[in-house]
Amino acid sequence: MFGTRRKKDSELAKAVTDLGQATTVAFGGVGIAGRLLPETEAYQRVAAAVTDHPASVRDLLDRLLTTGGPAGRVYAATLLELLELLDPATGRAAWTSLRGDPAQVRNISGCVMGSTTVGEYAAERLAGA
């Protein structure tokens, strides 16, 4: 059992590292084929771990929110929203911290690619909350 726990922690840390290096935000399949990007797969792995290991995931996401690239910061704030069952202010605080971020981030939804700033993305999320 000890080895299994260590392997899961290692896989989670790798997924968070992958998110930190992501260049695109995409939550589902992209393009005509609906292919999942590696960063989308990493997001899904971390999202699955949020329910099982909220404390360890929270620490990793807090770090990603401040040290990740622009797409990584967006993924971190989105994942921190999932922790709202434990702490309702978590997601809003994450998005609020990104509201003034001028970094450009590319996003893809289906076949549509766009670009915005992290701050604009955060403002949209806060307005929709």
Side-chain angles (χ1 to χ4, degrees), residues 16-25 27 39 43 60-81 90-91 93-105 116-122 125:
V16 171
T17 298
D18 291 348
L19 288 177
Q21 298 169 354
T23 59
T24 302
V25 174
F27 294 103
E39 46 264 69
Y43 168 81
L60 292 169
L61 294 177
D62 284 341
R63 219 169 315 138
L64 180 60
L65 188 65
T66 58
T67 63
R73 294 192 300 274
V74 168
Y75 280 121
T78 303
L79 287 159
L80 285 165
E81 281 182 319
T90 302
W95 288 119
T96 299
S97 74
L98 297 177
R99 197 172 31 203
D101 192 326
Q104 287 289 314
V105 64
T116 188
T117 68
V118 172
E120 290 167 343
Y121 198 104
R125 292 300 285 255

mmCIF file of all heavy atoms in Angstrom, residues 16-25 27 39 43 60-81 90-91 93-105 116-122 125:
data_model
loop_
_atom_site.group_PDB
_atom_site.id
_atom_site.type_symbol
_atom_site.label_atom_id
_atom_site.label_comp_id
_atom_site.label_asym_id
_atom_site.label_seq_id
_atom_site.Cartn_x
_atom_site.Cartn_y
_atom_site.Cartn_z
ATOM 1 N N VAL A 16 0.346 18.085 -12.159
ATOM 2 C CA VAL A 16 0.374 19.506 -11.808
ATOM 3 C C VAL A 16 1.546 20.201 -12.498
ATOM 4 O O VAL A 16 1.408 21.324 -12.998
ATOM 5 C CB VAL A 16 0.408 19.697 -10.276
ATOM 6 C CG1 VAL A 16 0.647 21.152 -9.905
ATOM 7 C CG2 VAL A 16 -0.889 19.194 -9.654
ATOM 8 N N THR A 17 2.681 19.533 -12.580
ATOM 9 C CA THR A 17 3.823 20.092 -13.309
ATOM 10 C C THR A 17 3.466 20.292 -14.776
ATOM 11 O O THR A 17 3.789 21.331 -15.366
ATOM 12 C CB THR A 17 5.053 19.165 -13.177
ATOM 13 O OG1 THR A 17 5.418 19.090 -11.802
ATOM 14 C CG2 THR A 17 6.222 19.667 -13.990
ATOM 15 N N ASP A 18 2.794 19.322 -15.368
ATOM 16 C CA ASP A 18 2.360 19.447 -16.766
ATOM 17 C C ASP A 18 1.432 20.645 -16.939
ATOM 18 O O ASP A 18 1.533 21.379 -17.922
ATOM 19 C CB ASP A 18 1.657 18.171 -17.240
ATOM 20 C CG ASP A 18 2.601 16.988 -17.381
ATOM 21 O OD1 ASP A 18 3.833 17.181 -17.339
ATOM 22 O OD2 ASP A 18 2.096 15.854 -17.507
ATOM 23 N N LEU A 19 0.540 20.862 -15.989
ATOM 24 C CA LEU A 19 -0.355 22.014 -16.060
ATOM 25 C C LEU A 19 0.433 23.321 -15.957
ATOM 26 O O LEU A 19 0.102 24.306 -16.624
ATOM 27 C CB LEU A 19 -1.409 21.962 -14.955
ATOM 28 C CG LEU A 19 -2.488 20.909 -15.115
ATOM 29 C CD1 LEU A 19 -3.428 20.931 -13.915
ATOM 30 C CD2 LEU A 19 -3.258 21.102 -16.410
ATOM 31 N N GLY A 20 1.455 23.333 -15.134
ATOM 32 C CA GLY A 20 2.280 24.529 -14.986
ATOM 33 C C GLY A 20 2.998 24.924 -16.259
ATOM 34 O O GLY A 20 3.301 26.090 -16.479
ATOM 35 N N GLN A 21 3.240 23.944 -17.119
ATOM 36 C CA GLN A 21 3.930 24.188 -18.382
ATOM 37 C C GLN A 21 2.978 24.273 -19.569
ATOM 38 O O GLN A 21 3.411 24.453 -20.701
ATOM 39 C CB GLN A 21 4.952 23.073 -18.617
ATOM 40 C CG GLN A 21 6.011 23.029 -17.539
ATOM 41 C CD GLN A 21 6.875 21.784 -17.615
ATOM 42 O OE1 GLN A 21 6.635 20.881 -18.406
ATOM 43 N NE2 GLN A 21 7.890 21.731 -16.779
ATOM 44 N N ALA A 22 1.684 24.173 -19.309
ATOM 45 C CA ALA A 22 0.685 24.194 -20.387
ATOM 46 C C ALA A 22 0.720 25.530 -21.123
ATOM 47 O O ALA A 22 0.992 26.570 -20.531
ATOM 48 C CB ALA A 22 -0.711 23.959 -19.808
ATOM 49 N N THR A 23 0.455 25.477 -22.407
ATOM 50 C CA THR A 23 0.414 26.692 -23.221
ATOM 51 C C THR A 23 -0.998 27.031 -23.680
ATOM 52 O O THR A 23 -1.233 28.099 -24.218
ATOM 53 C CB THR A 23 1.319 26.551 -24.463
ATOM 54 O OG1 THR A 23 0.871 25.427 -25.229
ATOM 55 C CG2 THR A 23 2.770 26.363 -24.057
ATOM 56 N N THR A 24 -1.932 26.119 -23.452
ATOM 57 C CA THR A 24 -3.303 26.280 -23.935
ATOM 58 C C THR A 24 -4.285 25.817 -22.869
ATOM 59 O O THR A 24 -4.029 24.837 -22.179
ATOM 60 C CB THR A 24 -3.523 25.436 -25.209
ATOM 61 O OG1 THR A 24 -2.570 25.843 -26.190
ATOM 62 C CG2 THR A 24 -4.911 25.605 -25.768
ATOM 63 N N VAL A 25 -5.401 26.510 -22.778
ATOM 64 C CA VAL A 25 -6.488 26.088 -21.898
ATOM 65 C C VAL A 25 -7.560 25.444 -22.762
ATOM 66 O O VAL A 25 -8.087 26.070 -23.685
ATOM 67 C CB VAL A 25 -7.086 27.282 -21.117
ATOM 68 C CG1 VAL A 25 -8.303 26.840 -20.320
ATOM 69 C CG2 VAL A 25 -6.037 27.904 -20.217
ATOM 70 N N PHE A 27 -10.742 22.408 -22.025
ATOM 71 C CA PHE A 27 -11.327 21.495 -21.049
ATOM 72 C C PHE A 27 -11.951 20.265 -21.679
ATOM 73 O O PHE A 27 -12.382 19.365 -20.976
ATOM 74 C CB PHE A 27 -12.356 22.243 -20.197
ATOM 75 C CG PHE A 27 -11.715 23.301 -19.350
ATOM 76 C CD1 PHE A 27 -11.796 24.632 -19.712
ATOM 77 C CD2 PHE A 27 -11.003 22.964 -18.216
ATOM 78 C CE1 PHE A 27 -11.190 25.604 -18.944
ATOM 79 C CE2 PHE A 27 -10.393 23.936 -17.442
ATOM 80 C CZ PHE A 27 -10.490 25.264 -17.811
ATOM 81 N N GLU A 39 -2.458 18.727 -21.835
ATOM 82 C CA GLU A 39 -2.812 19.548 -20.684
ATOM 83 C C GLU A 39 -4.243 19.279 -20.221
ATOM 84 O O GLU A 39 -4.540 19.337 -19.033
ATOM 85 C CB GLU A 39 -2.574 21.032 -20.927
ATOM 86 C CG GLU A 39 -3.061 21.584 -22.239
ATOM 87 C CD GLU A 39 -1.980 21.637 -23.306
ATOM 88 O OE1 GLU A 39 -1.549 20.569 -23.771
ATOM 89 O OE2 GLU A 39 -1.580 22.740 -23.694
ATOM 90 N N TYR A 43 -5.265 18.043 -16.570
ATOM 91 C CA TYR A 43 -6.336 18.705 -15.814
ATOM 92 C C TYR A 43 -7.329 17.667 -15.277
ATOM 93 O O TYR A 43 -7.720 17.709 -14.115
ATOM 94 C CB TYR A 43 -7.058 19.722 -16.704
ATOM 95 C CG TYR A 43 -8.339 20.226 -16.107
ATOM 96 C CD1 TYR A 43 -8.329 21.235 -15.158
ATOM 97 C CD2 TYR A 43 -9.565 19.666 -16.468
ATOM 98 C CE1 TYR A 43 -9.510 21.684 -14.579
ATOM 99 C CE2 TYR A 43 -10.746 20.109 -15.896
ATOM 100 C CZ TYR A 43 -10.713 21.113 -14.965
ATOM 101 O OH TYR A 43 -11.882 21.550 -14.390
ATOM 102 N N LEU A 60 -0.631 21.851 -3.834
ATOM 103 C CA LEU A 60 -0.057 21.879 -5.185
ATOM 104 C C LEU A 60 -0.695 22.969 -6.036
ATOM 105 O O LEU A 60 -0.003 23.668 -6.784
ATOM 106 C CB LEU A 60 -0.239 20.513 -5.854
ATOM 107 C CG LEU A 60 0.563 19.357 -5.268
ATOM 108 C CD1 LEU A 60 0.075 18.028 -5.844
ATOM 109 C CD2 LEU A 60 2.046 19.548 -5.533
ATOM 110 N N LEU A 61 -2.009 23.138 -5.923
ATOM 111 C CA LEU A 61 -2.705 24.141 -6.723
ATOM 112 C C LEU A 61 -2.388 25.563 -6.266
ATOM 113 O O LEU A 61 -2.269 26.462 -7.097
ATOM 114 C CB LEU A 61 -4.205 23.892 -6.704
ATOM 115 C CG LEU A 61 -4.658 22.605 -7.385
ATOM 116 C CD1 LEU A 61 -6.164 22.428 -7.238
ATOM 117 C CD2 LEU A 61 -4.245 22.590 -8.851
ATOM 118 N N ASP A 62 -2.228 25.755 -4.967
ATOM 119 C CA ASP A 62 -1.836 27.082 -4.475
ATOM 120 C C ASP A 62 -0.483 27.482 -5.056
ATOM 121 O O ASP A 62 -0.287 28.629 -5.470
ATOM 122 C CB ASP A 62 -1.780 27.096 -2.944
ATOM 123 C CG ASP A 62 -3.150 27.149 -2.294
ATOM 124 O OD1 ASP A 62 -4.131 27.525 -2.975
ATOM 125 O OD2 ASP A 62 -3.245 26.798 -1.101
ATOM 126 N N ARG A 63 0.429 26.530 -5.117
ATOM 127 C CA ARG A 63 1.746 26.784 -5.699
ATOM 128 C C ARG A 63 1.640 27.058 -7.195
ATOM 129 O O ARG A 63 2.255 27.976 -7.722
ATOM 130 C CB ARG A 63 2.658 25.584 -5.438
ATOM 131 C CG ARG A 63 4.065 25.974 -5.117
ATOM 132 C CD ARG A 63 4.913 24.831 -4.600
ATOM 133 N NE ARG A 63 4.200 24.039 -3.589
ATOM 134 C CZ ARG A 63 4.228 22.728 -3.524
ATOM 135 N NH1 ARG A 63 4.944 22.035 -4.353
ATOM 136 N NH2 ARG A 63 3.564 22.077 -2.596
ATOM 137 N N LEU A 64 0.831 26.254 -7.879
ATOM 138 C CA LEU A 64 0.641 26.425 -9.325
ATOM 139 C C LEU A 64 0.025 27.781 -9.630
ATOM 140 O O LEU A 64 0.383 28.425 -10.622
ATOM 141 C CB LEU A 64 -0.242 25.300 -9.869
ATOM 142 C CG LEU A 64 -0.559 25.319 -11.360
ATOM 143 C CD1 LEU A 64 0.713 25.237 -12.191
ATOM 144 C CD2 LEU A 64 -1.501 24.168 -11.703
ATOM 145 N N LEU A 65 -0.863 28.256 -8.795
ATOM 146 C CA LEU A 65 -1.532 29.538 -9.000
ATOM 147 C C LEU A 65 -0.531 30.687 -9.026
ATOM 148 O O LEU A 65 -0.738 31.674 -9.718
ATOM 149 C CB LEU A 65 -2.570 29.764 -7.893
ATOM 150 C CG LEU A 65 -3.492 30.962 -8.036
ATOM 151 C CD1 LEU A 65 -4.399 30.805 -9.259
ATOM 152 C CD2 LEU A 65 -4.330 31.136 -6.784
ATOM 153 N N THR A 66 0.571 30.550 -8.302
ATOM 154 C CA THR A 66 1.555 31.635 -8.241
ATOM 155 C C THR A 66 2.786 31.393 -9.103
ATOM 156 O O THR A 66 3.453 32.344 -9.484
ATOM 157 C CB THR A 66 2.008 31.889 -6.786
ATOM 158 O OG1 THR A 66 2.563 30.689 -6.252
ATOM 159 C CG2 THR A 66 0.849 32.354 -5.930
ATOM 160 N N THR A 67 3.081 30.137 -9.420
ATOM 161 C CA THR A 67 4.324 29.862 -10.152
ATOM 162 C C THR A 67 4.120 29.325 -11.564
ATOM 163 O O THR A 67 5.074 29.258 -12.333
ATOM 164 C CB THR A 67 5.208 28.853 -9.387
ATOM 165 O OG1 THR A 67 4.511 27.606 -9.293
ATOM 166 C CG2 THR A 67 5.561 29.371 -8.000
ATOM 167 N N GLY A 68 2.908 28.921 -11.901
ATOM 168 C CA GLY A 68 2.653 28.332 -13.217
ATOM 169 C C GLY A 68 2.641 29.379 -14.317
ATOM 170 O O GLY A 68 2.561 30.583 -14.058
ATOM 171 N N GLY A 69 2.699 28.905 -15.542
ATOM 172 C CA GLY A 69 2.548 29.785 -16.688
ATOM 173 C C GLY A 69 1.112 30.279 -16.753
ATOM 174 O O GLY A 69 0.258 29.868 -15.943
ATOM 175 N N PRO A 70 0.798 31.161 -17.708
ATOM 176 C CA PRO A 70 -0.561 31.715 -17.796
ATOM 177 C C PRO A 70 -1.655 30.641 -17.859
ATOM 178 O O PRO A 70 -2.631 30.706 -17.098
ATOM 179 C CB PRO A 70 -0.527 32.553 -19.076
ATOM 180 C CG PRO A 70 0.905 32.941 -19.221
ATOM 181 C CD PRO A 70 1.694 31.774 -18.694
ATOM 182 N N ALA A 71 -1.506 29.647 -18.708
ATOM 183 C CA ALA A 71 -2.520 28.588 -18.791
ATOM 184 C C ALA A 71 -2.554 27.789 -17.500
ATOM 185 O O ALA A 71 -3.631 27.411 -17.020
ATOM 186 C CB ALA A 71 -2.247 27.670 -19.989
ATOM 187 N N GLY A 72 -1.410 27.548 -16.905
ATOM 188 C CA GLY A 72 -1.350 26.821 -15.639
ATOM 189 C C GLY A 72 -2.081 27.543 -14.522
ATOM 190 O O GLY A 72 -2.753 26.923 -13.699
ATOM 191 N N ARG A 73 -1.980 28.873 -14.498
ATOM 192 C CA ARG A 73 -2.684 29.654 -13.481
ATOM 193 C C ARG A 73 -4.200 29.558 -13.677
ATOM 194 O O ARG A 73 -4.957 29.470 -12.703
ATOM 195 C CB ARG A 73 -2.201 31.100 -13.489
ATOM 196 C CG ARG A 73 -0.741 31.229 -13.050
ATOM 197 C CD ARG A 73 -0.311 32.645 -12.769
ATOM 198 N NE ARG A 73 -0.409 33.563 -13.871
ATOM 199 C CZ ARG A 73 0.510 33.762 -14.813
ATOM 200 N NH1 ARG A 73 1.635 33.051 -14.783
ATOM 201 N NH2 ARG A 73 0.332 34.649 -15.773
ATOM 202 N N VAL A 74 -4.643 29.562 -14.939
ATOM 203 C CA VAL A 74 -6.075 29.409 -15.221
ATOM 204 C C VAL A 74 -6.550 28.027 -14.781
ATOM 205 O O VAL A 74 -7.597 27.888 -14.141
ATOM 206 C CB VAL A 74 -6.379 29.656 -16.716
ATOM 207 C CG1 VAL A 74 -7.795 29.227 -17.084
ATOM 208 C CG2 VAL A 74 -6.155 31.124 -17.065
ATOM 209 N N TYR A 75 -5.778 26.992 -15.111
ATOM 210 C CA TYR A 75 -6.144 25.648 -14.671
ATOM 211 C C TYR A 75 -6.188 25.573 -13.143
ATOM 212 O O TYR A 75 -7.098 24.958 -12.575
ATOM 213 C CB TYR A 75 -5.167 24.606 -15.211
ATOM 214 C CG TYR A 75 -5.404 24.200 -16.635
ATOM 215 C CD1 TYR A 75 -4.425 24.375 -17.605
ATOM 216 C CD2 TYR A 75 -6.606 23.608 -17.024
ATOM 217 C CE1 TYR A 75 -4.642 23.974 -18.919
ATOM 218 C CE2 TYR A 75 -6.830 23.211 -18.330
ATOM 219 C CZ TYR A 75 -5.838 23.401 -19.276
ATOM 220 O OH TYR A 75 -6.059 23.004 -20.574
ATOM 221 N N ALA A 76 -5.212 26.183 -12.468
ATOM 222 C CA ALA A 76 -5.176 26.134 -11.004
ATOM 223 C C ALA A 76 -6.428 26.775 -10.408
ATOM 224 O O ALA A 76 -7.057 26.203 -9.511
ATOM 225 C CB ALA A 76 -3.921 26.837 -10.486
ATOM 226 N N ALA A 77 -6.801 27.954 -10.888
ATOM 227 C CA ALA A 77 -7.990 28.634 -10.354
ATOM 228 C C ALA A 77 -9.250 27.813 -10.621
ATOM 229 O O ALA A 77 -10.129 27.702 -9.758
ATOM 230 C CB ALA A 77 -8.116 30.024 -10.963
ATOM 231 N N THR A 78 -9.332 27.223 -11.804
ATOM 232 C CA THR A 78 -10.490 26.394 -12.140
ATOM 233 C C THR A 78 -10.570 25.193 -11.201
ATOM 234 O O THR A 78 -11.646 24.846 -10.705
ATOM 235 C CB THR A 78 -10.400 25.926 -13.607
ATOM 236 O OG1 THR A 78 -10.300 27.074 -14.451
ATOM 237 C CG2 THR A 78 -11.615 25.115 -13.997
ATOM 238 N N LEU A 79 -9.444 24.564 -10.945
ATOM 239 C CA LEU A 79 -9.422 23.410 -10.046
ATOM 240 C C LEU A 79 -9.685 23.818 -8.600
ATOM 241 O O LEU A 79 -10.329 23.074 -7.857
ATOM 242 C CB LEU A 79 -8.088 22.678 -10.173
ATOM 243 C CG LEU A 79 -7.929 21.896 -11.474
ATOM 244 C CD1 LEU A 79 -6.464 21.632 -11.784
ATOM 245 C CD2 LEU A 79 -8.727 20.604 -11.420
ATOM 246 N N LEU A 80 -9.222 24.986 -8.203
ATOM 247 C CA LEU A 80 -9.496 25.452 -6.845
ATOM 248 C C LEU A 80 -10.987 25.695 -6.642
ATOM 249 O O LEU A 80 -11.492 25.559 -5.520
ATOM 250 C CB LEU A 80 -8.679 26.706 -6.523
ATOM 251 C CG LEU A 80 -7.198 26.430 -6.242
ATOM 252 C CD1 LEU A 80 -6.378 27.703 -6.301
ATOM 253 C CD2 LEU A 80 -7.025 25.724 -4.902
ATOM 254 N N GLU A 81 -11.703 26.015 -7.705
ATOM 255 C CA GLU A 81 -13.160 26.133 -7.605
ATOM 256 C C GLU A 81 -13.790 24.810 -7.171
ATOM 257 O O GLU A 81 -14.817 24.806 -6.491
ATOM 258 C CB GLU A 81 -13.768 26.544 -8.949
ATOM 259 C CG GLU A 81 -13.644 28.005 -9.262
ATOM 260 C CD GLU A 81 -14.309 28.354 -10.576
ATOM 261 O OE1 GLU A 81 -14.181 27.593 -11.559
ATOM 262 O OE2 GLU A 81 -14.966 29.403 -10.612
ATOM 263 N N THR A 90 -12.636 29.628 -1.765
ATOM 264 C CA THR A 90 -11.404 29.222 -2.437
ATOM 265 C C THR A 90 -11.349 29.643 -3.902
ATOM 266 O O THR A 90 -10.397 30.278 -4.336
ATOM 267 C CB THR A 90 -11.227 27.690 -2.352
ATOM 268 O OG1 THR A 90 -11.213 27.322 -0.987
ATOM 269 C CG2 THR A 90 -9.940 27.243 -3.002
ATOM 270 N N GLY A 91 -12.343 29.267 -4.682
ATOM 271 C CA GLY A 91 -12.338 29.578 -6.115
ATOM 272 C C GLY A 91 -12.385 31.060 -6.372
ATOM 273 O O GLY A 91 -11.638 31.585 -7.203
ATOM 274 N N ALA A 93 -11.415 33.504 -4.451
ATOM 275 C CA ALA A 93 -10.132 34.107 -4.069
ATOM 276 C C ALA A 93 -9.077 33.855 -5.140
ATOM 277 O O ALA A 93 -8.279 34.742 -5.463
ATOM 278 C CB ALA A 93 -9.672 33.559 -2.720
ATOM 279 N N ALA A 94 -9.080 32.660 -5.714
ATOM 280 C CA ALA A 94 -8.110 32.345 -6.766
ATOM 281 C C ALA A 94 -8.329 33.241 -7.980
ATOM 282 O O ALA A 94 -7.378 33.831 -8.512
ATOM 283 C CB ALA A 94 -8.223 30.875 -7.165
ATOM 284 N N TRP A 95 -9.581 33.353 -8.415
ATOM 285 C CA TRP A 95 -9.871 34.204 -9.582
ATOM 286 C C TRP A 95 -9.583 35.667 -9.274
ATOM 287 O O TRP A 95 -9.068 36.396 -10.124
ATOM 288 C CB TRP A 95 -11.313 34.014 -10.045
ATOM 289 C CG TRP A 95 -11.533 32.703 -10.712
ATOM 290 C CD1 TRP A 95 -12.374 31.709 -10.314
ATOM 291 C CD2 TRP A 95 -10.895 32.209 -11.898
ATOM 292 N NE1 TRP A 95 -12.301 30.640 -11.171
ATOM 293 C CE2 TRP A 95 -11.396 30.928 -12.150
ATOM 294 C CE3 TRP A 95 -9.938 32.742 -12.767
ATOM 295 C CZ2 TRP A 95 -10.985 30.158 -13.243
ATOM 296 C CZ3 TRP A 95 -9.519 31.977 -13.850
ATOM 297 C CH2 TRP A 95 -10.039 30.702 -14.073
ATOM 298 N N THR A 96 -9.891 36.114 -8.072
ATOM 299 C CA THR A 96 -9.632 37.509 -7.689
ATOM 300 C C THR A 96 -8.137 37.810 -7.755
ATOM 301 O O THR A 96 -7.737 38.880 -8.218
ATOM 302 C CB THR A 96 -10.191 37.792 -6.276
ATOM 303 O OG1 THR A 96 -11.603 37.563 -6.305
ATOM 304 C CG2 THR A 96 -9.919 39.217 -5.847
ATOM 305 N N SER A 97 -7.320 36.863 -7.346
ATOM 306 C CA SER A 97 -5.869 37.072 -7.382
ATOM 307 C C SER A 97 -5.333 37.198 -8.814
ATOM 308 O O SER A 97 -4.277 37.782 -9.038
ATOM 309 C CB SER A 97 -5.144 35.938 -6.650
ATOM 310 O OG SER A 97 -5.148 34.746 -7.415
ATOM 311 N N LEU A 98 -6.079 36.678 -9.776
ATOM 312 C CA LEU A 98 -5.637 36.717 -11.174
ATOM 313 C C LEU A 98 -6.262 37.861 -11.971
ATOM 314 O O LEU A 98 -5.902 38.085 -13.119
ATOM 315 C CB LEU A 98 -5.982 35.391 -11.867
ATOM 316 C CG LEU A 98 -5.299 34.146 -11.319
ATOM 317 C CD1 LEU A 98 -5.800 32.900 -12.053
ATOM 318 C CD2 LEU A 98 -3.786 34.262 -11.410
ATOM 319 N N ARG A 99 -7.171 38.601 -11.382
ATOM 320 C CA ARG A 99 -7.944 39.605 -12.105
ATOM 321 C C ARG A 99 -7.084 40.636 -12.835
ATOM 322 O O ARG A 99 -7.425 41.047 -13.931
ATOM 323 C CB ARG A 99 -8.910 40.288 -11.155
ATOM 324 C CG ARG A 99 -9.996 41.024 -11.855
ATOM 325 C CD ARG A 99 -11.053 41.548 -10.940
ATOM 326 N NE ARG A 99 -10.522 41.895 -9.634
ATOM 327 C CZ ARG A 99 -11.246 41.956 -8.543
ATOM 328 N NH1 ARG A 99 -12.529 41.688 -8.589
ATOM 329 N NH2 ARG A 99 -10.711 42.290 -7.398
ATOM 330 N N GLY A 100 -5.972 41.043 -12.300
ATOM 331 C CA GLY A 100 -5.123 42.053 -12.945
ATOM 332 C C GLY A 100 -3.989 41.474 -13.771
ATOM 333 O O GLY A 100 -3.128 42.216 -14.246
ATOM 334 N N ASP A 101 -3.962 40.167 -13.979
ATOM 335 C CA ASP A 101 -2.853 39.490 -14.672
ATOM 336 C C ASP A 101 -2.892 39.782 -16.174
ATOM 337 O O ASP A 101 -3.826 39.395 -16.865
ATOM 338 C CB ASP A 101 -2.967 37.986 -14.427
ATOM 339 C CG ASP A 101 -1.738 37.213 -14.842
ATOM 340 O OD1 ASP A 101 -1.084 37.606 -15.833
ATOM 341 O OD2 ASP A 101 -1.432 36.195 -14.204
ATOM 342 N N PRO A 102 -1.870 40.460 -16.717
ATOM 343 C CA PRO A 102 -1.874 40.840 -18.135
ATOM 344 C C PRO A 102 -1.340 39.767 -19.086
ATOM 345 O O PRO A 102 -1.333 39.969 -20.307
ATOM 346 C CB PRO A 102 -0.952 42.065 -18.160
ATOM 347 C CG PRO A 102 0.057 41.755 -17.089
ATOM 348 C CD PRO A 102 -0.725 41.027 -16.011
ATOM 349 N N ALA A 103 -0.928 38.628 -18.566
ATOM 350 C CA ALA A 103 -0.332 37.588 -19.428
ATOM 351 C C ALA A 103 -1.368 37.062 -20.414
ATOM 352 O O ALA A 103 -2.532 36.862 -20.073
ATOM 353 C CB ALA A 103 0.215 36.449 -18.581
ATOM 354 N N GLN A 104 -0.926 36.818 -21.627
ATOM 355 C CA GLN A 104 -1.794 36.262 -22.665
ATOM 356 C C GLN A 104 -1.938 34.758 -22.463
ATOM 357 O O GLN A 104 -0.981 34.078 -22.103
ATOM 358 C CB GLN A 104 -1.209 36.512 -24.060
ATOM 359 C CG GLN A 104 -1.304 37.949 -24.517
ATOM 360 C CD GLN A 104 -2.736 38.339 -24.841
ATOM 361 O OE1 GLN A 104 -3.464 37.631 -25.515
ATOM 362 N NE2 GLN A 104 -3.143 39.497 -24.341
ATOM 363 N N VAL A 105 -3.141 34.261 -22.729
ATOM 364 C CA VAL A 105 -3.393 32.826 -22.641
ATOM 365 C C VAL A 105 -4.247 32.421 -23.840
ATOM 366 O O VAL A 105 -5.193 33.114 -24.201
ATOM 367 C CB VAL A 105 -4.058 32.427 -21.299
ATOM 368 C CG1 VAL A 105 -5.426 33.036 -21.137
ATOM 369 C CG2 VAL A 105 -4.122 30.928 -21.150
ATOM 370 N N THR A 116 -6.868 35.550 -24.889
ATOM 371 C CA THR A 116 -7.295 36.603 -23.977
ATOM 372 C C THR A 116 -6.193 36.764 -22.948
ATOM 373 O O THR A 116 -5.187 36.062 -23.001
ATOM 374 C CB THR A 116 -8.653 36.235 -23.319
ATOM 375 O OG1 THR A 116 -9.135 37.353 -22.582
ATOM 376 C CG2 THR A 116 -8.544 35.022 -22.426
ATOM 377 N N THR A 117 -6.381 37.670 -22.021
ATOM 378 C CA THR A 117 -5.426 37.748 -20.921
ATOM 379 C C THR A 117 -5.959 36.918 -19.759
ATOM 380 O O THR A 117 -7.160 36.654 -19.668
ATOM 381 C CB THR A 117 -5.206 39.199 -20.437
ATOM 382 O OG1 THR A 117 -6.405 39.674 -19.824
ATOM 383 C CG2 THR A 117 -4.779 40.105 -21.578
ATOM 384 N N VAL A 118 -5.067 36.535 -18.887
ATOM 385 C CA VAL A 118 -5.473 35.795 -17.699
ATOM 386 C C VAL A 118 -6.449 36.651 -16.885
ATOM 387 O O VAL A 118 -7.462 36.161 -16.389
ATOM 388 C CB VAL A 118 -4.248 35.379 -16.853
ATOM 389 C CG1 VAL A 118 -4.672 34.777 -15.524
ATOM 390 C CG2 VAL A 118 -3.365 34.419 -17.634
ATOM 391 N N GLY A 119 -6.165 37.949 -16.801
ATOM 392 C CA GLY A 119 -7.041 38.858 -16.059
ATOM 393 C C GLY A 119 -8.447 38.935 -16.640
ATOM 394 O O GLY A 119 -9.430 38.953 -15.891
ATOM 395 N N GLU A 120 -8.554 38.997 -17.966
ATOM 396 C CA GLU A 120 -9.879 39.026 -18.602
ATOM 397 C C GLU A 120 -10.617 37.715 -18.370
ATOM 398 O O GLU A 120 -11.825 37.705 -18.127
ATOM 399 C CB GLU A 120 -9.743 39.318 -20.099
ATOM 400 C CG GLU A 120 -9.305 40.739 -20.396
ATOM 401 C CD GLU A 120 -8.877 40.950 -21.835
ATOM 402 O OE1 GLU A 120 -8.600 39.944 -22.561
ATOM 403 O OE2 GLU A 120 -8.809 42.105 -22.254
ATOM 404 N N TYR A 121 -9.890 36.612 -18.457
ATOM 405 C CA TYR A 121 -10.479 35.300 -18.193
ATOM 406 C C TYR A 121 -11.014 35.258 -16.769
ATOM 407 O O TYR A 121 -12.124 34.809 -16.516
ATOM 408 C CB TYR A 121 -9.414 34.220 -18.418
ATOM 409 C CG TYR A 121 -9.957 32.822 -18.594
ATOM 410 C CD1 TYR A 121 -10.003 32.234 -19.851
ATOM 411 C CD2 TYR A 121 -10.404 32.073 -17.514
ATOM 412 C CE1 TYR A 121 -10.484 30.941 -20.018
ATOM 413 C CE2 TYR A 121 -10.888 30.787 -17.670
ATOM 414 C CZ TYR A 121 -10.924 30.227 -18.928
ATOM 415 O OH TYR A 121 -11.414 28.956 -19.099
ATOM 416 N N ALA A 122 -10.202 35.753 -15.825
ATOM 417 C CA ALA A 122 -10.611 35.767 -14.413
ATOM 418 C C ALA A 122 -11.837 36.650 -14.206
ATOM 419 O O ALA A 122 -12.772 36.271 -13.485
ATOM 420 C CB ALA A 122 -9.456 36.249 -13.541
ATOM 421 N N ARG A 125 -14.913 34.821 -15.245
ATOM 422 C CA ARG A 125 -15.292 33.793 -14.275
ATOM 423 C C ARG A 125 -15.931 34.416 -13.046
ATOM 424 O O ARG A 125 -16.902 33.902 -12.501
ATOM 425 C CB ARG A 125 -14.077 32.951 -13.872
ATOM 426 C CG ARG A 125 -13.531 32.075 -14.974
ATOM 427 C CD ARG A 125 -14.549 31.070 -15.498
ATOM 428 N NE ARG A 125 -14.788 29.966 -14.628
ATOM 429 C CZ ARG A 125 -14.336 28.732 -14.812
ATOM 430 N NH1 ARG A 125 -13.631 28.432 -15.870
ATOM 431 N NH2 ARG A 125 -14.605 27.791 -13.928
#
